[in-house]
Amino acid sequence: MSTTVATADALGTTVPAAARAGTPVVHDATGFSIPASHNAIIRWNVYIAFAAMGIAVIHGLAQALSYAGIDILGWFPGLKTYYQGLTIHGVFNAIVLTFAFTNGFLSLTTARGLGRPVNGPLLYAAFGSLVLGIALASWAMFTGRASVLYTSYAPLQAHWAYYLGLVFMVVSTWITSANLFVTLHAWRKDNPGQRIPLLAFVSVATYAMWDLASIGIAIEFVAFLLPWAFGLTDGVDPLLTRSLFWFSGHPIVYFWLLPTYVSWYLMVPRHAGGKLISDALTRIVFVLFVLLSTPTGFHHQFTDPGISAGMKMVHLVMTFGVFFPSVITAFSVASALEIGGRRRGGGRLIGWFFKLPWSEPALAAQLLAMLVFILGGVTGLINASYSMNQVVHNTTWVPGHFHMTVGTAVLLTFMGITYWMIPMLKGKELWSRKLAVAQAWIYFIGVLVFARGMISGGLEGLPRRTYFAAATYGKESWDLAGVWTGVGGTLMFVGAMLFLVILVLTVFAGRKKEGQDVPFTETIQPPAPGGWETRLDRIGFWVLVGAILVAIAYGPYLIQAIPPHLSVPGFKLF
Amino acid sequence: MHIHKYEKAVLAVTGALLLGFLAALFYSAFAMDIHVHSHVESIDPANVRTTPPFDQPGVREVAPGRYEAVIIGQAWSYTPNEIRVPAGAQVTFIATSTDVLHGFAIEGTRVNMMLVPGQVSRATYTFDEPGEHLLICHEFCGLGHHMMYGKVIVE
């Protein structure tokens, strides 16, 4: 597996010897191989992720066209309502796709970063839990027993199988997390006093962040929604369950984004022929996400009654805080790309950007993802801006925003990763590099057109989550926004379907090519062998500090909200 | 750790930018009195229609030029679903839900809030110009969600 290893030094930058001593497995892939059974599980995680996306985007097309006033729901056999399809769209994209892909991808990067396989039984258990969860929730959703949308707001009440299915999906991420920690622990025993290799550090830190963040929905589902759906309790407190949802519902955004950052920091520079500059700054960014991701959820509830303005302001400040590491990321990744572009003869100011190897599908998809993420980040900051939120809350502005973040920055990056990962795991070549690049561009153009529609419609008050083609009200200024949305959504659909074609043909018809490795970069400034920087590696400690911040941000609300004051029975209005 | 001067610069500029944004938001909240709707008042959702002020939904003038609009949201309509106020009226909307979550957004204004069963929502807005505004349910509330709307007519 060492054929691509030598190129790291072909870049011409002098690498201090300490870099090699500190991160022993970066350069040397000899002796590292993934057991065949692990390889299969990781691949199947990716297949399930994109199969879910394939099903989800078919209804996505119907939603985009619905905003243009075109109703194609009649063409969906077995689909009872628009909202049934919208529920599947949300659950399959936001949860199944992201959990499945991340469980596979970060198990691989941890194994490669540490130069040792992850724990087999835990890898199988996580996969089993995910499949069981998907089966349960799918049954409930496809039979119309759970058309509550992925936010699962009580007191709309879904079938218990839906809630239980989502629980098993979250459990699969916890098992994966346990696996990564077990693997890291074993590595530390064999390498006392060594810095954790960066690739493994960022992978494990991602799961550590999510372990803390997922406590909210764990309590919501296990303590409240499941017993209520089973008929063991009479009711729930809708504001409490909603708040617990957003406790996890905002940081889940970072559980989608951090695997993306793993690739942007460590793999994209390699694709571009550049190098990541700072090891320490990268670790600091991931530690900041562990600390700041979770105490932010009330910015999704700025317009809610029952939560004081003071609490909302605390979360406002924290949300702006968590924007900080994302801006550092933009700088670090851009400078790594600049090194690559200038090596290829690009000019100083922006010429380097156009000299990047745009014909490399894995890179092209991720560069386009980054460009869209600039718009996604800016619109997100507006959402979080307290009083400004009143202008856009629950309008199509919001899906306009998150189709540029999770729906493009993350999805197009996952596609870019797949363009090297599946060929590597299958020992094959990508089926068509040109079509893969074209696919990324089609999706990119599609989302820009789509978001133009959704963003402008939102500013005019066009409501989200609405079967607009059948709505009994309307406004003239929404018409053009709907057309942009419909056209853009159609292009996104075509881009997503092309990706599936390339994936399937790579698996079945790709030419053989053995000996591929995980493409990741080293850092120009290596990890320090001693000093304060070594404290960055204490992931457990940072989770603990994060938990204290969560207690400060949520404690005053939760102390008065639990035990619940209200018992509202379930409504099945779907 | 060696931090490059460009890195230092970008950290400083980013920090300053975010602090500037926050300062603007706090200025708008405290100096200009633009707040989010954060009314804290609970209500028994099973007895909304017998609990004042929801036992008498509708608009009433509480002081010269000042109005209260008491509105109940339920699947899939508002009670009342049309209100009329004169131009220049300062209207405080008091609303809640009898069943599931609903939205309460008056298009063209910054009245945009959630109706959560068990909680009373309040928002105040002054309608300067005559005209018609849609009152839209923008949170999914079941099968008929896209049919749930009302009107605010400013005369």
Side-chain angles (χ1 to χ4, degrees), chain A residues 81 83 147 155 280 303-307 312 327 331 386 390 393-394 465-466 471-473 475 525 533 573, chain B residues 1-2 7 14 18 35-39 99 107 110 112 114 121 136 138-140 142-143 145-147:
Chain A
T81 72
Y83 301 107
S147 303
T303 63
D304 277 22
I307 299 164
K312 290 175 181 176
V327 184
F331 180 79
Y386 196 64
Q390 292 163 353
H393 175 76
N394 267 7
R465 308 191 129 180
T466 298
T472 46
Y473 56 88
K475 209 179 133 186
Q525 290 174 15
E533 287 175 39
L573 302 173
Chain B
M1 179 176 76
H2 170 72
E7 276 174 344
T14 304
L18 291 175
H35 275 282
V36 294
H37 319 303
S38 296
H39 187 62
D99 42 47
E107 150 280 314
R110 56 181 190 83
N112 182 341
M114 301 298 299
S121 302
I136 301 167
H138 60 25
E139 185 53 80
F140 173 63
L143 208 51
H145 163 55
H146 48 277
M147 294 181 276

Side-chain angles (χ1 to χ4, degrees), chain A residues 295-299 301-302 304-319 386 552-557, chain B residues 22 26 29-30 34-40:
Chain A
T296 55
F298 283 155
H299 78 250
Q301 298 175 271
F302 278 150
D304 277 22
I307 299 164
S308 72
M311 293 300 308
K312 290 175 181 176
M313 281 187 184
V314 170
H315 285 232
L316 158 71
V317 173
M318 299 302 277
T319 307
Y386 196 64
I552 293 168
Y554 271 105
Y557 170 74
Chain B
L22 276 176
F26 281 112
F30 293 109
I34 302 174
H35 275 282
V36 294
H37 319 303
S38 296
H39 187 62
V40 181

